[in-house]
Every structure is written in structure tokens, then in C-alpha cells.
Amino acid sequence: MNKQAKRLSIQNLPSGFQFLLTLAFVACLLAIYFFLPVIVVSVLDYLKGFKTFTDLMPNVFKTQKELIKCLKQTQQMVGYASLFSAGFGVLFGSVLVVTQKNGIMACSPIYHVLDKLINLFRSIPFIILVALLIPATRKIIGTSIGVKGAIFPLVIATVPFFSRQIHAALTEVDGGMIEAARSMGLSPASIIFRVYLREGLPGMIRGATITIVNIIALTAMAGTVGGGGLGDYAIRYGYQRVMTDVTIVTIAIILLMVTIIQTIGTILERKLSH
């Protein structure tokens, strides 16, 4: 039995086949995440046929359309905030690494100014930051409520966090590799793209996973200040109207989203670490 299990172990499969299996699994998880509203609708429609579930979750079935709408809003906020945060986070994190003491472009003034700004914005609670940014959000986006109004403060709150994650990941890159690249005459830009970002990719993926999970939590908070999404749904129906089943289902959906993101991040990090 042990020999047979060993024979069927994924580790004993050809590396190309292992890669395809990993890719297929990640693709399935991404499909589940992006088509989550469709899946939730299908599950609820199926459960309507069972009296037990209609008795346990009457309010969920009554507010089904609102649930799906808010789920889509959460996905939009997470998607846009993740994309913008990734771009600015990698930029600022890279600048921190190359301008720090003994960095390839060491510049103390730039490093300390950026470092202090990141620490400043990271220290502001998200709810306070949203209120603080309302005038700026209205000028830039045109509104301070709804999905559009929530994306800007989400980005401002997430970029410092992700920048610090990128900084930590790139700092872990072997200094010997950096010195070897410098001795070969590579330009700072080449060292950043060909050494730092390539070798630090597993750590960057780990940081990205943590950041996206954090964004999901922040979108729930954004719902309390008119940002929409699952947080808004849970507050309006689950808390204000004392619909416990709504709260439980909302938590279950958010837990599923976090689990999918965390699993994808873990798989990619392990795969790229070898």
C-alpha cells in the first residue's frame, strides 16, 4: 500500500506534468474566485428546494439579489485596489531597497523621507483615513461613496503596507548576488529587474497574498462608511436589522475568498522557491 502511494505521489511525476497540474489547480481556484457570484446564486437556488435551509436562512433568500450585488462590489474593490497597490508598492519598495544604507543607489534623504511617509500612513487607522481623504476623494474620483469612492482610500491605505512587504522581500535577496551583478558592470536598473525582482519573487508573492487578504478585510470596513460591498451588506441587514443568518453567510463568503487567495499564494510561493 505504501509503495503504491509512493508511486502515485505527485513528487514522483515529471516536473513538466507537476507544473501543468499546479497551473490547472491555480486556474480552477481563480475561476472559483471570479465566478463566485454565479456559484453563490446556484447554491442558493439549489438550497431553496430544502425546507431546512429556507427555515435556517430566510433573510438570506429574501436579500439574495443584494447579496450578489455586494459580493460583486467587494470583488471590484479588491481587484482595483490590488492592481494599483501592486504597481506603487513594487515601485516604492524597490526605491527603499536601492536607496538604503549600502544599497546600489544609496541616498539617505530619499530613503528616510519615503520611509517616514510609509510609517505615517501605515499608522493611521483605515476608518480615520477614509474620513480624512473624503475631500481629496471627491476631487479626484468625483464621489466619496460607493465602490468608486472606496477604491482611492483603499489604495492609499494599502500601498504603504505592500511597499513594506516588498522592501522586506527584496532585502532577503543574497547580498553576494548583488555584488556579483555590480562587479559584472550591470546598471542599477538591470540589477533591480534581473536580480532583486527575480530572486525576491517568492517573498513578493507572500507579501502580495498578505496584502490582498488585508484588502478584503478593509473592504468590509469600507462598507461601514458607505463604500458598499459585503461589509455594507452585513451592517445594513445582519447588524442593523438583527438578521443573524445574513451575518453568518457573509462571514462564510469572506472566509472562502480569503482561503482561495491564501491557497493560490502558498502554491505559487512554494513553486517559485525551488
Side-chain angles (χ1 to χ4, degrees), residues 77 126 150 218-233 235-236:
M77 286 188 283
F126 181 66
L218 292 181
T219 60
M221 272 194 271
T224 63
V225 289
L230 290 173
D232 177 52
Y233 175 72
I235 292 295
R236 283 192 291 118

Side-chain angles (χ1 to χ4, degrees), residues 114-135:
L114 186 57
D115 182 64
K116 296 301 184 291
L117 284 173
I118 287 174
N119 289 339
L120 172 64
F121 280 96
R122 282 190 64 190
S123 65
I124 303 174
F126 181 66
I127 294 294
I128 297 175
L129 184 64
V130 171
L132 185 67
L133 291 174
I134 285 178

Side-chain angles (χ1 to χ4, degrees), residues 206 209-210 213 257-267:
R206 180 172 63 249
T209 303
I210 296 170
V213 170
M257 293 174 70
V258 169
T259 302
I260 291 172
I261 296 299
Q262 188 65 60
T263 304
I264 292 173
T266 302
I267 291 171

Side-chain angles (χ1 to χ4, degrees), residues 10-24 271:
I10 293 179
Q11 280 76 17
N12 294 325
L13 294 172
S15 58
F17 194 61
Q18 288 183 40
F19 175 76
L20 289 175
L21 279 177
T22 303
L23 194 63
K271 203 66 182 174

Side-chain angles (χ1 to χ4, degrees), residues 108-223:
S108 183
I110 293 177
Y111 173 79
H112 285 295
V113 168
L114 186 57
D115 182 64
K116 296 301 184 291
L117 284 173
I118 287 174
N119 289 339
L120 172 64
F121 280 96
R122 282 190 64 190
S123 65
I124 303 174
F126 181 66
I127 294 294
I128 297 175
L129 184 64
V130 171
L132 185 67
L133 291 174
I134 285 178
T137 304
R138 284 176 179 164
K139 286 184 179 180
I140 296 172
I141 308 299
T143 179
S144 60
I145 59 174
V147 175
K148 289 183 178 180
I151 291 174
F152 180 68
L154 279 171
V155 172
I156 298 299
T158 307
V159 167
F161 180 82
F162 189 47
S163 298
R164 192 61 74 189
Q165 296 288 329
I166 296 297
H167 179 219
L170 298 185
T171 303
E172 294 174 359
V173 175
D174 186 7
M177 298 183 68
I178 306 300
E179 289 303 318
R182 295 179 74 174
S183 65
M184 291 170 61
L186 292 181
S187 65
S190 296
I191 294 175
I192 292 170
F193 286 103
R194 297 173 62 179
V195 182
Y196 272 120
L197 297 183
R198 181 179 293 180
E199 296 300 321
L201 191 56
M204 291 170 64
I205 290 176
R206 180 172 63 249
T209 303
I210 296 170
T211 302
I212 295 174
V213 170
N214 186 55
I215 291 174
I216 293 174
L218 292 181
T219 60
M221 272 194 271

